[in-house]
């Protein structure tokens, strides 16, 4: 690590104890910043790094609710309003039992740079709860969301902080959250949340955007080596929103997608994933991958081993943080993987990332590759501000141009700073400079 950054990192460890995912996200960015600080001494002089590391505001609150059996449940709610140099805080809400402040801070910190890379006017934030929606009825999810919003509403607004979905939060949850916000504030403020259904002012393409964008980025990356998705064998981890639409776009570009997963195991479907069935099982029935296998002859469910043992040309980790460890990278490299693009946030461990880069595998970090979701959220905010709705084609065209521009910016920045082809450095440096320059312009605030 750069000598200017080492003492700052020691302080991060000291002041944010036990938050291992946050430490990991900071290390990843710091590993890229040495040459930037050497070239731009004003960033160190103005304590930009120290200011960036400290969230502007952190809100932690009690979320009490009553389950269907009449039992009172208590969860913890979070919203970390990390950085608003470029626009209102923007980022999703994650409902998952693993959520604690360290997860929300890692996600919020990455979101700052990701959002900067989109070129759209959005700052970085993240929130969520340790609530586990699995196995909960619609009525329980609704009561939980209403209780969550009963605290959150006072902190958010279209010019302040605009939450959206993440793991465990989709259109259903956003609808309940929006309904409660409207009731509490007596304002039909569409731009306060994104990922809304179309009836509430949502945007076409938002559902598809993260997965589509990840594949668009990977297609650009493959293009630098004269390749494309056409005819490639692809493995996608996860079976949620990001994975589903990554599979859809990869198939549309001619790829042969043979595997997906959830926390119960992975599915190998050599005949090619039946996307209609996957959508029926996961989106409509809220089922598990075993329900797909039960209705699809030839598909196999594996509950031991790793999805990364399946030979493929392109791997798209779209499930969750640290799901692709060193062993997975070794297996993929041994089997000749050409490209890895992160649809999830920080799914590849640092050791695995290094292995891919040393082996010359094209590697796209999540803060660049999965930025299509939040970019389309910013397009939803634009439509809400205009009280307008754009067509699917118009919106997808904007998404395509944002993803192409992120790809080109990362590639050009990596080259400029002496690491051609290193999309990790390119993304970290380009995102950082954008935010740092905006912060300097505003003085010490
Ligand atoms: N949760 C998504 C992300 O990780 C989307 C956030 C948003 O749309 O605001 O970027």
């Amino acid at each position: 690590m750069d000598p200017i950054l080492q003492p700052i990192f020691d302080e991060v460890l000291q002041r944010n104890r036990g938050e291992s995912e946050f430490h990991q996200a900071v290390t990843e960015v710091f590993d890229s910043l040495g040459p930037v600080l050497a070239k731009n001494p004003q960033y160190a002089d103005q304590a930009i790094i120290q200011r960036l590391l400290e969230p502007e505001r952190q809100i932690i609150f009690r979320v009490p609710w009553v389950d269907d059996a009449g039992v009172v449940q208590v969860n913890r709610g979070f919203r970390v309003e990390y950085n608003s140099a470029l626009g209102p805080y923007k980022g999703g809400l994650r409902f998952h039992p693993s959520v604690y402040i360290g997860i929300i801070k890692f996600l919020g910190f990455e979101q700052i740079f990701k959002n900067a890379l989109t070129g759209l006017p959005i700052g970085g934030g993240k929130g969520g709860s340790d609530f586990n929606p699995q196995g909960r009825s619609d009525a329980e999810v609704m009561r939980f969301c209403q209780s969550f919003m009963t605290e959150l509403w006072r902190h958010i607004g279209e010019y302040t902080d605009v939450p959206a979905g993440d793991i465990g939060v989709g259109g259903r949850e956003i609808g309940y959250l929006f309904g409660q916000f409207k009731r509490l504030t007596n304002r039909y403020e569409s731009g306060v949340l994104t990922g809304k259904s179309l009836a509430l002012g949502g945007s076409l393409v938002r559902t598809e955007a993260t997965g589509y964008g990840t594949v668009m980025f990977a297609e650009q990356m493959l293009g630098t080596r004269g390749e494309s998705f056409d005819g490639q064998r692809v493995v996608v981890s996860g079976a949620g929103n990001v994975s589903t639409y990554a599979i859809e776009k990869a198939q549309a570009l001619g790829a042969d997608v043979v595997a997906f997963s959830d926390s119960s195991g992975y599915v190998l479907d050599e005949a090619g994933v039946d996307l209609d069935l996957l959508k029926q099982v996961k989106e409509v029935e809220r089922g598990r991958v075993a329900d797909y296998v039960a209705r699809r002859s030839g598909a196999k469910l594996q509950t031991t081993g790793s999805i990364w043992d399946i030979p493929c040309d392109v791997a798209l980790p779209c499930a969750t943080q640290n799901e692709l460890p060193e062993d997975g990278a070794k297996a993929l490299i041994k089997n000749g993987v050409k490209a890895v693009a992160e649809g999830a946030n920080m799914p590849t461990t640092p050791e695995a990332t290094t292995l891919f880069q040393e082996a010359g595998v094209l590697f796209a970090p999540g803060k660049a590759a999965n930025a299509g979701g939040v970019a389309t959220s910013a397009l939803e905010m634009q439509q809400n501000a205009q009280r307008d709705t754009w067509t699917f084609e118009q919106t997808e065209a904007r998404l395509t141009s944002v993803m192409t521009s992120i790809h080109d910016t990362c590639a050009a920045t990596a080259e400029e700073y002496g690491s051609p082809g290193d999309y990790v450095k390119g993304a970290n440096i380009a995102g950082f400079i954008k935010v740092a320059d905006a912060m300097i312009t505003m003085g010490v605030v």
Side-chain angles (χ1 to χ4, degrees):
M1 193 177 284
D2 188 89
I4 298 184
L5 294 168
Q6 190 61 54
I8 303 177
F9 187 66
D10 293 342
E11 206 175 315
V12 167
L13 296 179
Q14 176 73 16
R15 296 180 84 191
N16 304 276
R17 289 181 216 185
E19 298 174 6
S20 57
E21 297 83 1
F22 177 59
H23 304 159
Q24 184 182 333
V26 172
T27 308
E28 199 191 283
V29 172
F30 276 20
D31 283 342
S32 301
L33 291 187
V36 185
L37 298 179
K39 218 170 163 175
N40 304 279
Q42 73 275 21
Y43 297 147
D45 296 346
Q46 301 276 326
I48 287 295
I49 313 264
Q50 292 90 328
R51 283 154 65 191
L52 250 172
L53 285 167
E54 190 63 23
E56 291 174 18
R57 191 176 299 109
Q58 304 185 57
I59 303 143
I60 303 183
F61 50 100
R62 181 173 68 190
V63 189
W65 57 284
V66 183
D67 71 15
D68 286 348
V71 178
V72 176
Q73 302 281 343
V74 181
N75 286 102
R76 188 171 291 174
F78 301 89
R79 186 73 183 164
V80 171
E81 297 181 333
Y82 222 119
N83 190 292
S84 60
L86 295 175
Y89 311 105
K90 183 82 198 85
L93 299 170
R94 177 176 292 192
F95 292 170
H96 191 269
S98 65
V99 164
Y100 76 109
I101 189 67
I103 294 271
I104 301 299
K105 276 165 66 183
F106 117 64
L107 291 164
F109 186 69
E110 288 217 322
Q111 199 86 43
I112 304 169
F113 307 103
K114 179 194 316 197
N115 294 5
L117 284 171
T118 67
L120 297 161
I122 41 179
K126 203 86 188 192
S129 175
D130 56 3
F131 172 70
N132 185 359
Q134 280 269 326
R136 290 295 180 188
S137 68
D138 275 359
E140 289 178 315
V141 170
M142 180 183 75
R143 288 196 294 276
F144 174 80
C145 288
Q146 289 175 341
S147 180
F148 188 86
M149 187 53 85
T150 299
E151 173 60 33
L152 191 67
W153 73 273
R154 69 187 78 247
H155 307 288
I156 62 176
E158 64 174 317
Y159 294 107
T160 313
D161 183 359
V162 183
D166 196 85
I167 292 172
V169 178
R172 172 182 63 169
E173 291 73 17
I174 294 293
Y176 294 147
L177 291 164
F178 184 73
Q180 185 73 350
F181 178 89
K182 183 175 78 62
R183 190 176 187 201
L184 289 165
T185 59
N186 194 30
R187 283 168 65 86
Y188 205 108
E189 190 180 320
S190 297
V192 71
L193 289 166
T194 62
K196 300 180 295 293
S197 65
L198 296 182
L200 305 179
S203 174
L204 289 163
V205 194
R206 178 62 191 87
T207 308
E208 295 85 354
T210 313
Y212 276 22
T214 302
V215 170
M216 289 169 182
F217 192 100
E219 178 82 344
Q220 297 279 332
M221 206 166 60
L222 286 163
T224 64
R225 297 203 178 154
E227 301 232 35
S228 76
F229 264 96
D230 196 20
Q232 309 280 2
R233 186 176 154 95
V234 178
V235 165
V236 180
S237 64
N241 168 265
V242 181
S243 317
T244 301
Y245 293 95
I247 295 171
E248 185 164 285
K249 185 53 97 185
Q251 289 181 337
L253 293 176
D256 189 13
V257 184
V258 294
F260 59 88
S261 62
D262 69 11
S263 56
S264 61
Y266 69 88
V267 173
L268 177 60
D269 189 348
E270 286 287 0
V273 174
D274 177 342
L275 197 62
D276 289 338
L277 178 59
L278 180 61
K279 285 183 182 174
Q280 173 66 26
V281 166
K282 296 299 288 190
E283 291 181 353
V284 181
E285 299 169 16
R286 296 184 185 274
R288 309 293 289 161
V289 293
D291 304 320
Y292 175 97
V293 174
R295 281 183 245 167
R296 173 96 173 147
S297 65
K300 287 194 218 68
L301 175 64
Q302 305 282 346
T303 51
T304 54
S306 161
I307 192 171
W308 311 121
D309 291 336
I310 301 173
C312 63
D313 301 306
V314 180
L316 302 176
C318 296
T320 195
Q321 66 273 356
N322 293 327
E323 56 159 317
L324 203 179
E326 210 171 348
D327 282 354
K330 282 185 183 151
L332 285 166
I333 292 166
K334 185 170 94 4
N335 290 325
V337 73
K338 298 172 190 167
V340 177
E342 297 185 326
N345 292 313
M346 210 169 73
T348 314
T349 65
E351 298 76 21
T353 304
T354 305
L355 287 178
F356 288 132
Q357 292 184 319
E358 285 174 357
V361 174
L362 291 163
F363 181 82
K367 58 171 85 69
N370 73 35
V374 77
T376 308
S377 277
L379 302 181
E380 182 172 334
M381 291 162 72
Q382 285 188 28
Q383 291 169 75
N384 292 155
Q386 294 173 319
R387 300 187 185 280
D388 196 5
T389 47
W390 306 345
T391 63
F392 193 96
E393 291 69 28
Q394 189 183 357
T395 318
E396 193 183 13
R398 287 288 305 270
L399 171 63
T400 309
S401 85
V402 169
M403 294 316 296
T404 307
S405 143
I406 297 175
H407 172 271
D408 295 351
T409 303
C410 293
T413 309
E415 180 121 24
E416 185 188 337
Y417 283 85
S419 305
D422 186 337
Y423 289 92
V424 174
K425 284 212 171 62
N428 286 331
I429 295 174
F432 171 80
I433 290 177
K434 189 125 208 252
V435 182
D437 288 347
M439 288 174 74
I440 288 184
T441 311
M442 283 189 283
V444 180
V445 289

